[in-house]
Amino acid sequence: MSTSIKKEIKNLSPRPPIVVVMGHIDHGKSTLLDYIRKTNITKKEAGGITQHISAYETECEIGGQKRKITFLDTPGHEAFCSIRARGALVADIAVLVISAEDGIKPQTIETLDCIKKDGMPFIIALNKIDRPSADIDKIKTGLAENGVLVEGWGGTVPVVAISAKTGEGIADLLEMVALQSDMEELTGNLFVSAEGFVIESSLDPKQGISATLLIKNGSLKTGMFVATEGAYAPVRAIENYKGENLKEASFSSPVRIVGWNAQPKVGSQFKTFIKKEEAILFAEKHADESEKNCQNTSLNSRTCFWVVIKADTSGSLDAIEQELLKLGNEKMVVKIISKGIGAITERDLKIANIKNSLVLGFNVSADKNAIALATRNNIEIKIYKIIYELIDFVKEKVEEATPVEKVETITGSAKIIRVFSKNKDKQVVGGRVAEGEIKSGEIVKIFRRDAEIGEGKIKELQIQKIKTASVKESQEFGVMIESKLEIAEGDVIKVVSLVNK
């Protein structure tokens, strides 16, 4: 064994686990973290929904020992699939929160797929067991039907029954997290430069661009330089999740760094350097990776629905962008012509005016110049605090803007089996419905030997000489048709309707 490898092993020390809390909206993820942290975050969030990834360090007493755990709280609504995926990427262990009252939801299955794909160890937390309608066995059965066998049911996935409201079972859950962490043998090296992932970034009008970093290994000190793909920053100050300034931070810690030269890409890996030149070189070298990962939407012959979007953080912007691009259909594609972090400005309105686009804001405001320009040019600005409400609004607008095409559809056809009489343009004939339905007042096309020869209008329908409004498949009927064309036995009449598509 080489000296460098021996030194590396010697320098390794146990590190706290990074635990991502995942699950469907309103199943109690944030309430669980509130209880663990003894804080109250949920009431501060718009609609009670976590809108960003939040990272928190907490110290818990487990088995008489103080243990540090870093928790990542991720949004539960389907609009945040990409954010959840990033949460899974940086975490060591997942806690999947499922309501014992509400059961398994589509987002629960989606989250399970995300965890399985990443191959990450996970624990099931069955929440809301204090509710009268809680049914733990039903949830376990549902999990088994989706390929997840929990302990006691022929599987190895740990399951803990909890109440985030009363605190019941939470000590057991933390113990299980610690046990899982010990099994994973998580280690880190304090003596190397820090590296990890960008989990959030935002623009502060006073401080500039800031980013929340999660350190996976090594140590970060003031005076160093941090870099990711296309962006770098001097580490003048290190801020922990409480907003306190630190001189140094190490693995499993979430920290905030201010003063980036450009917006760091959420989910990208970061490294730290002693020299500024090294950080710049790393940022420039990896800048093109961001371009490679950009989603290109093929427009083909589809009409574009133009959007300008501004958000409070890079993570929110990324999630909104991914969801907006899904809203297209065969005739319409959503095209984001401009996006960014911070308030909606006059520049955004000028860009929107070029393409007559919609201007959207999430957790941001519009400045006075932007509002004035929007009023003059009749441009719509919509600002939201809950992401899925923004998505629903755009979905509705896309549907309204989708070009409507009138398509002829055959809703009924009948074969003429007898001709009774003809009086000027009105003819009385008998027929049998071959398919669909024929109604009084409808326009019909007349076919002879598969060729269209004319049109007519149904003036009256009868079944066994009794007047009726419609006749259905296989029924024989008498009909008065108004047409200049003389109808013969063997002809076929077809009802053709114009349907919007």
Side-chain angles (χ1 to χ4, degrees):
M1 188 180 292
S2 69
T3 306
S4 61
I5 294 174
K6 284 181 181 179
K7 186 179 179 182
E8 175 71 22
I9 293 172
K10 187 180 177 181
N11 289 337
L12 291 179
S13 56
R15 70 170 177 84
I18 298 169
V19 181
V20 60
V21 183
M22 309 173 86
H24 176 69
I25 184 174
D26 198 35
H27 276 200
K29 301 181 292 42
S30 296
T31 309
L32 168 61
L33 285 170
D34 288 347
Y35 191 92
I36 293 170
R37 298 193 310 269
K38 300 296 181 186
T39 59
N40 195 350
I41 300 300
T42 306
K43 289 181 181 178
K44 298 175 187 176
E45 291 168 359
I49 302 167
T50 307
Q51 300 288 330
H52 311 105
I53 285 186
S54 298
Y56 312 93
E57 277 185 302
T58 188
E59 195 171 57
C60 310
E61 191 168 321
I62 302 169
Q65 289 185 327
K66 294 281 187 182
R67 298 284 295 263
K68 273 190 176 182
I69 302 174
T70 295
F71 284 99
L72 295 180
D73 181 12
T74 66
H77 188 267
E78 61 184 345
F80 300 94
C81 183
S82 62
I83 294 181
R84 283 205 299 268
R86 287 196 299 272
L89 179 69
V90 302
D92 304 307
I93 300 164
V95 171
L96 175 57
V97 179
I98 303 174
S99 167
E101 181 183 46
D102 302 328
I104 294 171
K105 300 289 184 181
Q107 287 84 2
T108 313
I109 306 302
E110 182 187 325
T111 304
L112 273 170
D113 291 342
C114 180
I115 292 169
K116 288 178 185 175
K117 186 179 178 181
D118 206 55
M120 184 168 45
F122 66 103
I123 300 162
I124 303 287
L126 295 183
N127 191 27
K128 302 186 182 181
I129 58 168
D130 54 302
R131 302 285 181 89
S133 55
D135 190 340
I136 293 174
D137 285 346
K138 183 181 177 182
I139 307 301
K140 290 180 178 180
T141 302
L143 287 166
E145 290 170 354
N146 285 280
V148 178
L149 297 175
V150 300
E151 289 178 347
W153 282 55
T156 57
V157 179
V159 59
V160 183
I162 68 165
S163 169
K165 185 178 179 181
T166 67
E168 183 183 351
I170 290 180
D172 296 332
L173 176 64
L174 294 174
E175 218 170 287
M176 186 59 70
V177 168
L179 177 63
Q180 192 77 56
S181 172
D182 293 340
M183 289 171 64
E184 293 299 309
E185 297 181 341
L186 304 171
T187 58
N189 188 344
L190 288 167
F191 301 97
V192 297
S193 295
E195 59 182 54
F197 295 92
V198 179
I199 60 171
E200 193 53 274
S201 66
S202 60
L203 176 63
D204 187 289
K206 294 178 182 177
Q207 293 182 311
I209 299 169
S210 70
T212 302
L213 311 178
L214 189 58
I215 303 171
K216 288 284 281 189
N217 192 36
S219 295
L220 179 68
K221 301 175 183 178
T222 54
M224 300 177 81
F225 293 86
V226 61
T228 184
E229 51 188 63
Y232 73 92
V235 184
R236 296 191 181 95
I238 302 170
E239 199 176 279
N240 67 8
Y241 77 96
K242 294 178 183 177
E244 300 167 339
N245 282 321
L246 310 173
K247 288 185 177 180
E248 185 177 349
S250 62
F251 41 64
S252 300
S253 292
V255 295
R256 182 171 173 262
I257 303 297
V258 177
W260 294 76
N261 72 315
Q263 198 83 38
K265 182 176 173 61
V266 172
S268 62
Q269 191 173 9
F270 77 85
K271 290 182 181 285
T272 48
F273 303 89
I274 302 299
K275 295 180 180 179
K276 181 179 180 180
E277 293 76 18
E278 293 174 340
I280 294 172
L281 186 64
F282 179 87
E284 290 175 349
K285 184 180 177 182
H286 295 84
D288 61 344
E289 291 181 14
S290 178
E291 295 302 318
K292 290 176 187 175
N293 295 328
C294 282
Q295 182 177 355
N296 294 315
T297 306
S298 177
L299 299 183
N300 299 325
S301 58
R302 292 184 287 176
T303 304
C304 286
F305 185 87
W306 306 102
V307 172
V308 171
I309 176 76
K310 297 295 285 289
D312 59 339
T313 69
S314 194
S316 297
L317 185 65
D318 191 22
I320 293 168
E321 181 179 6
Q322 293 206 30
E323 288 305 309
L324 288 178
L325 294 176
K326 293 178 186 176
L327 298 181
N329 51 46
E330 291 179 357
K331 297 176 184 176
M332 180 76 71
V333 61
V334 176
K335 190 72 174 173
I336 298 169
I337 57 171
S338 179
K339 60 182 179 178
I341 308 299
I344 296 168
T345 64
E346 188 176 7
R347 176 183 174 276
D348 298 318
L349 269 295
K350 287 177 179 177
I351 292 170
N353 194 39
I354 295 169
K355 295 285 188 180
N356 192 27
S357 68
L358 192 64
V359 180
L360 302 171
F362 174 71
N363 269 342
V364 295
S365 58
D367 65 29
K368 291 180 180 179
N369 291 337
I371 293 170
L373 189 57
T375 304
R376 286 200 305 271
N377 294 338
N378 197 28
I379 299 172
E380 189 170 18
I381 298 176
K382 296 291 286 186
I383 296 172
Y384 292 88
K385 290 187 178 297
I386 298 177
I387 290 183
Y388 66 78
E389 289 182 358
L390 183 153
I391 302 301
D392 287 345
F393 170 75
V394 179
K395 184 178 181 181
E396 194 177 295
K397 287 290 184 180
V398 169
E399 289 173 358
E400 288 175 6
T402 299
V404 176
E405 183 182 347
K406 298 281 187 181
V407 178
E408 284 191 350
T409 303
I410 296 172
T411 56
S413 68
K415 187 173 183 179
I416 304 304
I417 54 178
R418 190 170 177 183
V419 176
F420 293 109
S421 65
K422 185 177 188 304
N423 183 12
K424 294 184 180 179
D425 291 343
K426 293 184 177 65
Q427 301 169 65
V428 178
V429 297
R432 182 183 293 110
V433 181
E435 61 177 350
E437 185 178 15
I438 292 178
K439 298 177 182 179
S440 182
E442 288 183 317
I443 303 294
V444 294
K445 291 189 176 184
I446 303 164
F447 290 79
R448 186 170 295 164
R449 291 187 289 277
D450 296 327
E452 184 182 335
I453 59 171
E455 283 188 357
K457 183 176 182 180
I458 296 174
K459 302 298 287 184
E460 188 178 319
L461 280 172
Q462 291 184 358
I463 296 177
Q464 294 180 347
K465 297 185 178 180
I466 299 171
K467 194 173 179 180
T468 184
S470 65
V471 286
K472 297 182 180 179
E473 195 169 321
S474 301
Q475 287 185 315
E476 290 191 359
F477 62 95
V479 58
M480 178 185 288
I481 297 177
E482 186 177 62
S483 176
K484 294 179 180 179
L485 181 78
E486 189 171 336
I487 300 171
E489 287 183 16
D491 288 349
V492 173
I493 58 172
K494 295 182 181 181
V495 178
V496 180
S497 300
L498 289 176
V499 178
N500 294 337
K501 283 192 177 179

